[in-house]
Amino acid sequence: MSMLKWGGAATLLVLLGLALGQSSTSVAADKGSKPAAAPSAGWIGVVLDEKSEGGALVKKVFPGGPAAGAGVRVGDKIVSVGNKKLTSPKMLIEAVEKSKPGSALTITVMRGDNKVQLAAIVGSLREFHESYIHEMMRRDPRDPNSAKFAGVSAKDMNAEMFRRLMEQNQRLEITMQAVLKEVQELRAEVKALKK
């Protein structure tokens, strides 16, 4: 179970149409129905461990996604969204998908023994899908223009730089926590020796 879920046969038809160079309007028109402007579900860009209990354990964080920007890390357990306590990953998925894209979302995570409150701006799942499909089509080696970019775009480089900065920040925070713990232990030892 993940936040990167598609949505059934209708989405498959739209994706197939896009892959064949048609717009979603022409795919809907082929079925004889009028295309409807479906509201976009919310998206924060995490992959969850579907077996986790007492919250939602984060297995992966999409680089450059709303969760990464908020500071969510792999290994965090999301225990509440807003004022709603989570008991399963499904509850998180439902809460995020019901959130309006562009709205602020308070996420509480357990990071080790610490409870950390983070603020994320909910993204649009539809816009993510559209940009993802566009990017994958741009990288298609059958496309004569794909060699122009050598498979790397400025967006890719920004996402990778952001991911590396977040990893570096995480390593620094872990090291800092270890140093603080050691300093506290040394203070306790010095206090004991003074007595």
Side-chain angles (χ1 to χ4, degrees):
M1 190 174 295
S2 75
M3 298 309 291
L4 302 173
K5 71 180 203 178
W6 292 92
T11 304
L12 180 61
L13 285 173
V14 171
L15 292 177
L16 287 173
L18 291 170
L20 297 172
Q22 298 174 320
S23 70
S24 57
T25 306
S26 64
V27 173
D30 290 343
K31 290 186 72 180
S33 63
K34 191 174 183 179
S40 181
W43 173 76
I44 60 171
V46 295
V47 177
L48 306 170
D49 180 354
E50 60 188 57
K51 296 176 185 169
S52 61
E53 297 176 359
L57 182 65
V58 177
K59 287 173 55 175
K60 295 181 182 176
V61 179
F62 190 82
V72 175
R73 300 180 186 159
V74 172
D76 283 351
K77 185 175 235 178
I78 302 174
V79 293
S80 68
V81 174
N83 296 328
K84 187 174 185 178
K85 186 175 180 182
L86 304 176
T87 57
S88 70
K90 185 176 181 179
M91 288 180 72
L92 173 65
I93 293 169
E94 290 170 358
V96 171
E97 286 182 346
K98 288 178 184 175
S99 298
K100 183 179 177 184
S103 64
L105 193 64
T106 303
I107 300 170
T108 306
V109 302
M110 289 301 295
R111 186 172 291 156
D113 295 332
N114 301 325
K115 195 178 253 189
V116 180
Q117 224 174 29
L118 306 168
I121 302 298
V122 178
S124 166
L125 184 59
R126 181 172 25 104
E127 287 176 15
F128 167 72
H129 285 169
E130 289 170 1
S131 66
Y132 182 80
I133 291 166
H134 173 73
E135 184 68 18
M136 291 302 106
M137 292 301 290
R138 185 189 67 75
R139 294 181 186 194
D140 186 352
R142 296 170 292 180
D143 180 2
N145 295 323
S146 70
K148 289 181 184 177
F149 305 107
V152 180
S153 68
K155 190 175 183 180
D156 292 335
M157 292 170 56
N158 286 338
E160 179 63 15
M161 184 178 74
F162 184 78
R163 183 189 67 77
R164 288 183 181 196
L165 286 171
M166 294 304 289
E167 285 178 354
Q168 182 180 15
N169 185 42
Q170 184 176 8
R171 286 192 302 270
L172 287 171
E173 189 172 315
I174 290 168
T175 303
M176 189 171 72
Q177 291 297 325
V179 168
L180 285 173
K181 184 177 179 181
E182 190 175 332
V183 166
Q184 289 171 348
E185 290 170 357
L186 289 172
R187 283 183 180 166
E189 286 179 25
V190 168
K191 234 183 207 181
L193 288 173
K194 285 184 178 179
K195 290 183 181 182

